[in-house]
Amino acid sequence: MRSGSVFTAGAFALCAAAFILTITINNAEAPSPSESETLSATEAAPAVRTLTVTAAGDCTFGTDINADPDLGFDAYAEQYGTDFFFENVRDIFSEDDLTIINFEGTLSDRGEREDKQFAFRGDPSYVDILTGSSVEAANLANNHSSDYGSVSLTDTQQYLTDAGILTCRGEDNVTAAEVNGVQVGLVGINYLNDQMRTELDSAINKADDLGAEVIILSMHWGVEKATEPNEEQIEAAHRAIDLGADLVIGTHPHVLQGIEKYNGRYILYSLGNFSFGGNNAPSDTDTAIFRQTFTLTGTEIADDDNYELIPCSITSADGYNNYQPTPAEGAEKERIEEKLTEYSDALGVSQLKFR
């Protein structure tokens, strides 16, 4: 009886210890309700992503055959090499996730010159100007994309694509690509072309169908040398944003026009020329670089006005065009800022953000 009593007490003690240990382990493995709620909230919170886009104006890499060859773009390329042209803006372009320009001309050694006042064809090696300066995208929807026939457009697109440059032109060339973790849709419309003009709606819808979270639209439109957009431009820009465009970049006037904010999205009616081989002595050398950072929480784009403008000249020389765009400084910078502010104030944007 003594030994049996001892066994029973020992068994009871062992069972009690096991029970306590089980409770301890279970409590250690199972988070408290507050911890579970915290984990669930963290897992459910949408990811925050950013995309920084830089836009610059008209780039023409080539010299018209009727222009003075000694003063043309080709002469500078031969003397200084392709790194010369974007030397003064290369650091700006390398700071972002995506730089886009309007490529107004062709890269080809084939084709016949179209019967027009100005036609541009550059050496295919000029693609190195873009790749060497962190330019990742080019709009081909303009009135000079086939200056040497359809073959010159085919060649230009092929040279750019082979070099890793994203392109856009009309409904058939809507591009969607992942950039810094964001699906970007690139749409280019030559609004001067009646056929392509009708593709605006379908091209933006196509970008959306391709899964674009941010849609960037390049529009070639307006009147050359006009410093304010016409009603047709304004109507088209508003419609594009209503359809889903998140940034509208205007080209063709060859001079600066104002900036408008419509339904939380920016419209750059014209950024003017940039590295422009079409004229060695333009009357207006003012231009600007526009940069915007989009912040996405889930798929929602913040309306945070996170942008800046960088006033520039299309040349680093005084009195003539050497095709080397350069950030403006001092009084020249202030003058361009005042011009852009005046033009934009007429469109309802009274204050602009400059670097």
Side-chain angles (χ1 to χ4, degrees):
M1 295 290 295
R2 186 176 180 87
S3 61
S5 298
V6 171
F7 175 78
T8 301
F12 176 79
L14 182 61
C15 289
F19 178 72
I20 293 171
L21 179 61
T22 300
I23 293 175
T24 302
I25 292 174
N26 287 341
N27 286 340
E29 290 178 347
S32 65
S34 58
E35 290 174 335
S36 299
E37 290 171 2
T38 301
L39 289 172
S40 298
T42 302
E43 292 170 356
V48 177
R49 295 163 295 155
T50 61
L51 173 74
T52 300
V53 176
T54 303
D58 297 338
C59 292
T60 298
F61 298 163
T63 304
D64 185 88
I65 59 173
N66 297 318
D68 186 342
D70 295 332
L71 301 176
F73 188 94
D74 296 323
Y76 280 84
E78 183 176 352
Q79 182 173 357
Y80 299 109
T82 56
D83 282 346
F84 166 80
F85 299 102
F86 283 176
E87 179 179 350
N88 296 333
V89 294
R90 186 171 297 123
D91 288 347
I92 296 172
F93 291 166
S94 66
E95 294 170 350
D96 62 14
D97 301 311
L98 180 71
T99 299
I100 181 169
I101 54 98
N102 177 51
F103 196 89
E104 191 152 18
T106 64
L107 296 178
S108 181
D109 51 16
R110 301 192 295 166
E112 297 293 328
R113 188 184 191 278
E114 290 190 343
D115 184 16
K116 58 197 306 185
Q117 184 178 7
F118 301 107
F120 305 106
R121 180 171 62 176
D123 190 276
S125 66
Y126 293 169
V127 72
D128 294 344
I129 299 170
L130 304 180
T131 58
S133 297
S134 191
V135 177
E136 294 88 7
N139 170 52
L140 301 181
N142 55 66
N143 57 319
H144 287 284
S145 60
S146 301
D147 275 357
Y148 279 75
S150 59
V151 67
S152 67
L153 171 59
T154 300
D155 286 351
T156 302
Q157 187 167 353
Q158 191 63 57
Y159 284 121
L160 292 171
T161 300
D162 288 349
I165 306 294
L166 304 172
T167 64
C168 55
R169 184 178 185 273
E171 185 178 10
D172 293 335
N173 185 204
V174 174
T175 295
E178 184 174 309
V179 181
N180 198 35
V182 177
Q183 278 293 117
V184 179
L186 300 177
V187 179
I189 296 293
N190 178 9
Y191 216 69
L192 306 175
N193 181 309
D194 289 339
Q195 179 179 348
M196 196 175 294
R197 177 188 306 205
T198 64
E199 298 177 6
L200 175 61
D201 295 30
S202 57
I204 293 175
N205 288 334
K206 183 175 180 179
D208 186 59
D209 290 342
L210 291 171
E213 298 172 286
V214 175
I215 297 177
I216 300 170
L217 169 66
S218 294
M219 289 279 274
H220 207 67
W221 56 8
V223 179
E224 290 191 12
K225 304 299 179 65
T227 57
E228 59 184 24
N230 57 37
E231 291 183 6
E232 186 178 53
Q233 287 174 267
I234 295 172
E235 185 277 330
H238 290 185
R239 188 171 81 252
I241 290 173
D242 289 339
L243 287 166
D246 298 297
L247 176 64
V248 178
I249 305 167
T251 60
H252 179 65
H254 300 297
V255 293
L256 288 170
Q257 292 184 355
I259 295 170
E260 181 185 13
K261 188 177 185 182
Y262 172 76
N263 283 352
R265 302 294 184 258
Y266 282 98
I267 304 162
L268 322 174
Y269 280 103
S270 175
L271 287 176
N273 293 327
F274 199 61
S275 182
F276 188 67
N279 191 339
N280 60 39
S283 58
D284 191 335
T285 60
D286 296 343
T287 187
I289 295 170
F290 177 88
R291 168 169 293 162
Q292 181 173 4
T293 296
F294 295 92
T295 299
L296 290 82
T297 302
T299 58
E300 294 295 318
I301 300 176
D303 183 12
D304 55 6
D305 290 333
N306 192 358
Y307 78 89
E308 65 179 0
L309 283 156
I310 305 172
C312 297
S313 171
I314 67 172
T315 176
S316 63
D318 292 328
Y320 64 94
N321 189 7
N322 68 355
Y323 318 108
Q324 188 183 57
T326 302
E329 298 179 345
E332 277 297 285
K333 180 176 184 288
E334 292 178 4
R335 182 185 60 79
I336 298 171
E337 288 178 354
E338 291 174 1
K339 174 190 284 191
L340 276 168
T341 299
E342 177 186 348
Y343 294 167
S344 300
D345 185 56
L347 296 166
V349 179
S350 58
Q351 291 186 330
L352 295 174
K353 298 180 180 181
F354 296 100
R355 174 181 288 197

